[in-house]
């Protein structure tokens, strides 16, 4: 007969406090409760399948990031075409055995439906070494923030799926080759090389401004294996969440919220730049310099091409779902929306006579100057709703000895005009100058105005950096 060890007699209650009884009961029943919980978890896994891994979250503090763009691919290709264009054109590769392979990217290989973006991968049965693939490219261009997508690759050899960003809308030239806008920075959230045991690349390149867009410098670790939290290689043919942060100083790459590596974009500046003039980013400048890397706005690509000497012949596919882009900081630049450095997060306007300078602004963008009395440059943006917080506000300084020695800077946030600051720009080093920290409201208009006083005023960019 089972004896009930955890019952209390009336006489026990006379000498035992209620708090003591509760504490003893918790202690005695805890092993039983833990066992029941484990049984529930195990049975849930057996009968309902494994617990799904949640999306990778933006790095802490998550509350500072604002979801600025997303697509769950739950519609049809008609819905897809509202926000994305197709990767078209062709790529041709020659191999050591003398063969040449051609990968033709076409819209018909891309299908949206049921919450999935599927890219079908096939071989032409009538042409030797000719393959068909495809992809999509965002119509919108992005800069700093956190990018993420869920993806499932193929186990078949000879394909090159990728989640990446570069400045190009996927247009092809008369020969069918993809046209890139240069100079530009390419960031690869992942590139799977299924021809090489599915090793991955997570890296970035800068492409030259000489028109041909070669990747003249890259910072990467080469091909390597992506790993989970236990250090075990992931199975890229299963669903995983891939993400990367990108800011001025560099980028960090994640898989299922596990940090894979961090790269410094500043390493580029000491690699081949010789000056900081516009279009100095050319492959003929191998010497060390002090320019920051290019920081342009780019499209996001979810795509695949055929790549590799050995290729499977059975039709296969790769899939994506739930693309998201989060933004934390906001930039307004003098460059037009159609340039490498637009569209910025707001608008830029001038009064007086201004001229485009040969001196580069932030990240190789252009800058403007004026010596017209009381000429002004104004940067304005409206913070998205839900982004209320504390922000550091900066003005980018293009250094020059003939700069204004008493320029005026004024910050207006939501109709509140802060005291005007007088700055000796001739004695101020180039780079970001902090003009203050302010509590700003989502939905309100923020603006910075620069006024010329006694010499050359120089205008480029402002930024609002979320700090609280």
């Amino acid at each position: 007969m089972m004896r009930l060890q955890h019952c209390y007699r009336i006489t026990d209650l006379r000498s035992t406090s209620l708090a003591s009884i509760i504490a003893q009961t918790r202690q005695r029943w805890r092993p039983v409760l833990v066992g029941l919980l484990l049984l529930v978890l195990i049975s849930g896994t057996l009968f309902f399948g494994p617990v799904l891994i949640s999306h990778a979250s933006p790095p802490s503090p998550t509350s500072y990031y604002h979801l600025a763009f997303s697509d769950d691919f739950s519609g049809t290709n008609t819905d897809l075409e509202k926000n994305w264009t197709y990767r078209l054109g062709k790529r041709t590769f020659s191999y050591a055995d003398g063969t040449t392979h051609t990968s033709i990217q076409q819209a018909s290989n891309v299908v949206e439906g049921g919450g999935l973006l599927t890219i079908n991968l096939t071989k032409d049965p009538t042409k030797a070494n000719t393959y068909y693939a495809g992809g999509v490219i965002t119509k919108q261009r992005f800069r700093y923030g956190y990018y993420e997508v869920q993806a499932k690759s193929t186990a078949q050899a000879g394909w090159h799926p990728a989640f990446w960003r570069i400045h190009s809308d996927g247009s092809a030239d008369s020969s069918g080759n993809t046209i890139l806008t240069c100079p530009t920075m390419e960031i690869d959230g992942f590139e799977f090389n299924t021809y090489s045991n599915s090793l991955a690349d997570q890296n970035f390149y800068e492409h030259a401004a000489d028109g041909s867009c070669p990747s003249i410098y890259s910072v990467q670790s080469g091909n390597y294996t992506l790993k989970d939290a236990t250090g075990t290689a992931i199975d890229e043919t299963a669903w995983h969440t891939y993400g990367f942060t990108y800011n001025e100083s560099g980028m960090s790459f994640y898989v299922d919220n596990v940090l894979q590596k961090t790269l410094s974009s500043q390493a580029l500046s000491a690699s081949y730049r010789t000056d900081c003039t516009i279009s100095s980013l050319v492959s003929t400048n191998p010497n060390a310099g002090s320019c920051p890397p290019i920081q342009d706005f780019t499209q996001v690509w979810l795509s695949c091409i055929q790549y590799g000497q050995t290729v499977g012949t059975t039709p296969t596919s790769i899939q994506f779902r739930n693309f998201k882009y989060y933004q934390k900081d906001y930039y307004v630049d003098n460059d037009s929306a159609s340039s490498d450095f637009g569209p910025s997060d707001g608008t830029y306007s001038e009064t007086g006579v201004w001229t485009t300078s040969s001196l580069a602004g932030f990240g190789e963008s252009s800058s403007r100057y004026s010596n017209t009395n009381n000429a002004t440059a104004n940067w304005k943006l409206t913070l998205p709703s839900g982004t209320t917080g504390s922000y550091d506000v900066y003005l980018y300084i293009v250094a020059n000895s003939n700069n204004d020695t008493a320029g005026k800077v004024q910050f207006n946030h939501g109709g509140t005009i802060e005291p005007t600051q007088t700055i000796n720009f001739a004695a101020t080093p180039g780079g970001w100058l902090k003009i203050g920290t302010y509590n700003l409201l989502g939905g309100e208009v923020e603006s910075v105005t620069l006024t010329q006083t006694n010499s050359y005023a120089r205008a480029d960019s402002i930024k609002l950096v979320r700090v609280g």
Side-chain angles (χ1 to χ4, degrees):
M1 179 178 178
M2 181 180 293
R3 184 179 181 185
L4 299 180
Q5 298 283 351
H6 305 299
C7 293
Y8 289 90
R9 300 187 303 272
I10 298 295
T11 52
D12 293 331
L13 295 175
R14 296 173 184 167
S15 59
T16 305
S17 68
L18 179 60
S20 176
I21 293 172
I22 293 173
Q24 293 178 49
T25 302
R26 286 176 175 171
Q27 181 177 3
R28 289 167 175 170
W29 281 95
R30 183 176 289 114
V32 178
L33 294 174
V34 171
L36 289 172
L37 179 59
L38 290 173
L39 179 61
V40 170
L41 290 175
I42 293 171
S43 62
T45 300
L46 292 175
F47 292 102
F48 300 104
V51 178
L52 295 178
I53 298 175
S54 62
H55 290 186
S57 299
S60 180
T62 57
S63 60
Y64 293 178
Y65 282 83
H66 167 72
L67 182 61
F69 181 92
S70 65
D71 197 331
D72 61 6
F73 304 117
S74 60
T76 65
N77 278 45
T78 300
D79 301 297
L80 178 70
E81 291 162 9
K82 295 176 182 178
N83 295 312
W84 305 76
T85 59
Y86 295 105
R87 177 177 186 174
L88 304 175
K90 66 180 181 180
R91 294 292 304 274
T92 300
F93 304 96
S94 298
Y95 298 100
D97 65 353
T99 61
T100 298
H101 290 197
T102 300
S103 177
I104 300 174
Q105 287 60 250
Q106 51 191 16
S108 58
N109 280 54
V110 179
V111 179
E112 173 176 329
L116 297 174
L117 178 73
T118 301
I119 302 176
N120 294 308
L121 312 172
T122 59
K123 183 182 187 301
D124 192 316
T126 63
K127 297 179 181 178
N129 300 324
T130 300
Y131 302 85
Y132 298 99
V136 294
I137 305 160
T138 57
K139 293 182 178 180
Q140 183 175 339
R141 291 163 57 199
F142 308 95
R143 204 184 209 177
Y144 303 122
Y146 174 77
Y147 300 74
E148 112 178 353
V149 74
Q150 290 186 319
K152 183 172 71 169
S153 186
T154 176
Q156 192 172 123
W159 299 100
H160 188 76
F163 160 43
W164 55 305
R165 62 183 295 279
I166 196 169
H167 188 181
S168 173
D169 62 3
S171 300
D173 61 20
S174 58
S175 299
N177 299 309
T178 302
I179 301 172
L180 301 182
T181 301
C182 297
T184 186
M185 177 186 282
E186 173 187 336
I187 301 176
D188 300 321
F190 71 76
E191 292 182 315
F192 284 124
N193 301 308
T194 65
Y195 65 88
S196 180
N197 298 320
S198 294
L199 295 178
D201 288 335
Q202 287 180 312
N203 43 241
F204 75 94
Y205 302 87
E206 281 202 0
H207 294 271
D210 59 7
S212 60
C213 276
S215 55
I216 62 173
Y217 193 81
S218 66
V219 174
Q220 58 178 327
S221 299
N223 295 337
Y224 67 104
T225 301
L226 303 181
K227 298 180 179 180
D228 63 18
T230 68
T232 304
I234 69 167
D235 175 8
E236 75 283 351
T237 65
W239 284 106
H240 294 282
T241 301
Y242 301 89
F244 63 89
T245 59
Y246 170 43
N247 54 41
E248 290 181 32
S249 60
M251 56 224 69
S252 296
F253 299 89
Y254 300 84
V255 176
D256 296 331
N257 212 19
V258 177
L259 178 64
Q260 304 294 309
K261 67 176 177 180
T262 296
L263 300 175
S264 170
S265 60
Q266 301 305 313
L268 290 174
S269 64
S271 301
Y272 55 86
R273 305 287 188 86
T274 58
D275 57 72
C276 291
T277 58
I278 301 297
S279 299
S280 68
L281 178 56
V282 294
S283 54
T284 56
N285 285 346
N287 301 315
S290 59
C291 295
I294 188 166
Q295 309 272 344
D296 55 341
F297 288 76
T298 68
Q299 290 91 343
V300 173
W301 294 44
L302 306 175
S303 64
C304 187
I305 61 173
Q306 191 281 307
Y307 182 60
Q309 183 173 327
T310 302
V311 195
T313 58
T314 305
T316 185
S317 66
I318 63 167
Q319 292 182 310
F320 296 93
R321 65 187 184 194
N322 296 320
F323 171 72
K324 297 181 180 181
Y325 165 71
Y326 296 83
Q327 188 173 4
K328 181 174 72 73
D329 306 325
Y330 301 89
Y331 290 69
V332 183
D333 193 271
N334 68 280
D335 292 85
S336 67
S338 61
S339 73
D340 289 347
F341 302 93
S344 61
D345 297 312
T347 58
Y348 171 82
S349 60
E350 301 168 339
T351 65
V353 179
W354 289 78
T355 304
T356 298
S357 173
S358 62
L359 299 178
F362 170 65
E364 286 286 298
S365 66
S366 69
S367 67
R368 304 273 287 169
Y369 70 92
S370 176
N371 63 351
T372 302
N373 191 37
N374 292 321
T376 65
N378 180 266
W379 299 262
K380 182 184 295 185
L381 77 155
T382 301
L383 285 177
S385 60
T387 59
T388 296
S390 179
Y391 290 81
D392 287 342
V393 179
Y394 293 84
L395 174 70
Y396 192 82
I397 307 301
V398 179
N400 195 278
S401 59
N402 66 359
N403 281 354
D404 204 329
T405 61
K408 307 296 183 183
V409 177
Q410 187 177 76
F411 181 52
N412 182 330
H413 54 102
T416 299
I417 301 176
E418 298 293 338
T420 299
Q421 301 182 38
T422 300
I423 299 172
N424 181 354
F425 289 105
T428 303
W432 291 110
L433 174 67
K434 181 179 174 181
I435 63 176
T437 302
Y438 307 92
N439 292 321
L440 306 179
L441 300 176
E444 74 179 12
V445 177
E446 327 293 356
S447 68
V448 174
T449 301
L450 169 67
T451 303
Q452 187 273 354
T453 300
N454 60 27
S455 188
Y456 286 92
R458 296 187 184 275
D460 178 52
S461 307
I462 67 164
K463 67 177 178 179
L464 280 62
V465 178
R466 181 76 180 270
V467 294

